[in-house]
Amino acid sequence: MTTDAFLADCRARLAFDLLSNTWNAVVLWALRDGPRRPVELRERIGGISSKVLTETLRRLQFNGLVDRQAHSDATSRVEYQLTPLGRTLLAPIDAVGAWAFEHGDEVMAAQEAAGAPDPQSARSTC
């Protein structure tokens, strides 16, 4: 890897851009156990609107990380599942989650020490 690996138009930056959207990693993680219908994903994730879920699924599909399967049975159901490429992001997402579990208290303490809470930060008790 060169020293310019994180500059514009590089592959490393592409990966960070994919994971920087709050919902991308959450939806990918929610699909790790197999195909899900949008209603099932909303229930599993919680706190995501139908509109945002649809936008996220379309973005993930556009990037080759999720497949959309329309079933032509009586219910006309749609399911989403990870592609093989999407599955390759599960390990990095898990690593970030493990880091957050280990260091989340330190980050929150630093935020509190800095003063007013950042409106962009998501405080969670999980």
Side-chain angles (χ1 to χ4, degrees):
M1 183 180 321
T2 69
T3 58
D4 293 335
F6 296 103
L7 299 180
D9 299 329
C10 72
R11 291 181 179 165
R13 183 135 163 217
L14 170 69
F16 283 111
D17 286 344
L18 284 172
L19 293 178
S20 67
N21 178 285
T22 301
W23 295 110
N24 284 356
V26 174
V27 171
L28 291 170
W29 192 255
L31 288 169
R32 74 188 180 281
D33 295 326
R36 300 259 183 227
R37 297 176 69 185
V39 170
E40 295 171 325
L41 283 171
R42 282 192 63 218
E43 290 172 359
R44 188 166 194 184
I45 293 169
I48 188 170
S49 69
S50 294
K51 178 185 178 209
V52 171
L53 177 60
T54 298
E55 290 169 354
T56 302
L57 288 165
R58 286 181 182 158
R59 182 174 44 255
L60 293 172
Q61 186 179 8
F62 174 80
N63 285 294
L65 304 173
V66 168
D67 274 334
R68 179 184 186 271
Q69 295 181 331
H71 299 277
S72 59
D73 55 14
T75 61
S76 299
R77 65 188 168 103
V78 173
E79 289 183 325
Y80 292 88
Q81 67 181 6
L82 294 175
T83 63
L85 180 61
R87 288 206 161 278
T88 65
L89 276 174
L90 292 177
I93 292 168
D94 187 43
V96 170
W99 181 90
F101 184 78
E102 184 176 340
H103 300 287
D105 290 339
E106 295 169 66
V107 172
M108 289 191 296
Q111 291 172 351
E112 289 175 13
D118 179 0
Q120 296 295 319
S121 69
R123 303 243 175 208
S124 175
T125 58
C126 61

